[in-house]
Amino acid sequence: MNKSQTHVLQWARRVRGFVAETPVKSDVAELTTLTQELDETLEQLTADAAAQEAITKQSRVQTTEIKRLRQTLRDKHLKPIVGMSRTMQLQINGSDITFVVPSVKTDSERLAAHSDAMVTALNVVGPQFTARGFASNFVEQLSSTTKTLRDAIDQRAKQVSQRIGVTAAMLAHKNKVMQIVRAIDTIVRPSIQTTPELLAAWDNLVALPRLRKPAASAAPTPAGSTSTAGSTTPATPTTVGSTAGQAGNLAP
């Protein structure tokens, strides 16, 4: 929940408390329906905030898990295979092949795709590795770890999607709360118009205070200075085999 939503939630609760504690008699309309609707919307906004926080925590846990799986895949599986491959001459259909470890900066999807391509090649040349001491199921271990990583990626993507949905619902509920309070104001204000103390308290309460804007801390850029925003980042050298498309190095 952002500051604006928290602000509206607290404000609306104060308004609701005033209405509950102050007898309001109106010949035009009753507050029962509006206060009930306000209560329900506040409950929804509060529940949304809790759901958003839970999803955020789950997403952080999943991000940590993805990082762990990436490291396991690279260090425990890919690096030993690539290290051993450099002592061997590997061929598929008469053509030499090479294995490489993707860059640490390679994104998770491409790392998984690279691993899949390596599994495909190892289905052919794998026996040469087992002959040099690798476990008989090392290819299955590589494939299983890759699948686990991809499942973790999909789970985090699902969590991000859920958070976007909850955030949109929170915005809608926040706007609805403000509309209901404005509607309540049209009933409360005339009924307390002759009671200056109540009217003053209501005016102070029903006016939604604006959030304070953070003071600008950035100093103006001197004329003629070079802005870092316009600088050009040097292109990163391409690492052979670091992407799914380069995984073709594994096969002719």
Side-chain angles (χ1 to χ4, degrees):
M1 175 177 285
N2 61 33
K3 290 183 179 180
S4 175
Q5 291 162 344
T6 301
H7 197 55
V8 168
L9 182 61
Q10 295 172 346
W11 167 72
R13 283 174 176 165
R14 291 194 297 270
V15 170
R16 182 65 181 92
F18 180 96
V19 172
E21 296 171 1
T22 306
V24 176
K25 297 181 180 180
S26 173
D27 297 330
V28 179
E30 294 184 356
L31 287 174
T32 305
T33 301
L34 285 174
T35 53
Q36 181 178 353
E37 188 176 1
L38 179 60
D39 288 341
E40 292 173 352
T41 308
L42 287 175
E43 287 178 5
Q44 291 173 337
L45 185 55
T46 302
D48 288 342
Q52 185 188 62
E53 181 64 21
I55 294 171
T56 299
K57 289 181 178 179
Q58 292 169 1
S59 182
R60 288 172 182 167
V61 170
Q62 200 66 23
T63 297
T64 301
E65 177 64 6
I66 290 173
K67 183 178 180 180
R68 184 191 69 80
L69 289 169
R70 281 174 56 88
Q71 185 173 0
T72 298
L73 183 60
R74 293 186 80 258
D75 296 347
K76 186 178 178 180
H77 296 283
L78 298 181
K79 283 185 177 180
I81 292 172
V82 171
M84 179 61 73
S85 72
R86 290 172 180 169
T87 69
M88 306 162 64
Q89 184 174 3
L90 303 173
Q91 292 186 338
I92 294 181
N93 297 329
S95 299
D96 292 339
I97 64 170
T98 58
F99 291 139
V100 296
V101 180
S103 166
V104 176
K105 296 181 180 180
T106 300
D107 66 59
S108 298
E109 283 288 359
R110 291 191 176 189
L111 178 62
H114 178 94
S115 182
D116 284 339
M118 187 176 286
V119 167
T120 300
L122 287 171
N123 286 331
V124 178
V125 300
Q128 294 178 243
F129 287 81
T130 56
R132 293 202 173 191
F134 273 60
S136 59
N137 66 338
F138 84 100
V139 179
E140 288 79 4
Q141 292 179 23
L142 173 61
S143 180
S144 176
T145 302
T146 304
K147 182 180 183 303
T148 302
L149 172 60
R150 187 170 279 113
D151 289 343
I153 295 170
D154 292 343
Q155 180 62 28
R156 187 180 185 281
K158 180 180 178 181
Q159 291 166 348
V160 171
S161 178
Q162 290 174 337
R163 192 178 190 281
I164 291 173
V166 171
T167 300
M170 290 177 69
L171 177 60
H173 291 145
K174 168 196 165 184
N175 292 337
K176 186 176 180 180
V177 164
M178 296 178 69
Q179 291 171 357
I180 295 172
V181 171
R182 298 311 180 200
I184 290 175
D185 180 52
T186 63
I187 298 176
V188 171
R189 185 174 297 280
S191 69
I192 61 175
Q193 195 74 38
T194 58
T195 310
E197 296 83 358
L198 285 179
L199 183 59
W202 177 253
D203 283 337
N204 180 66
L205 183 63
V206 81
L208 178 61
R210 295 184 179 181
L211 289 172
R212 292 182 178 179
K213 294 183 179 180
S217 58
T221 303
S225 64
T226 303
S227 171
T228 56
S231 60
T232 303
T233 304
T236 303
T238 303
T239 302
V240 177
S242 63
T243 66
Q246 292 164 341
N249 289 315
L250 305 182

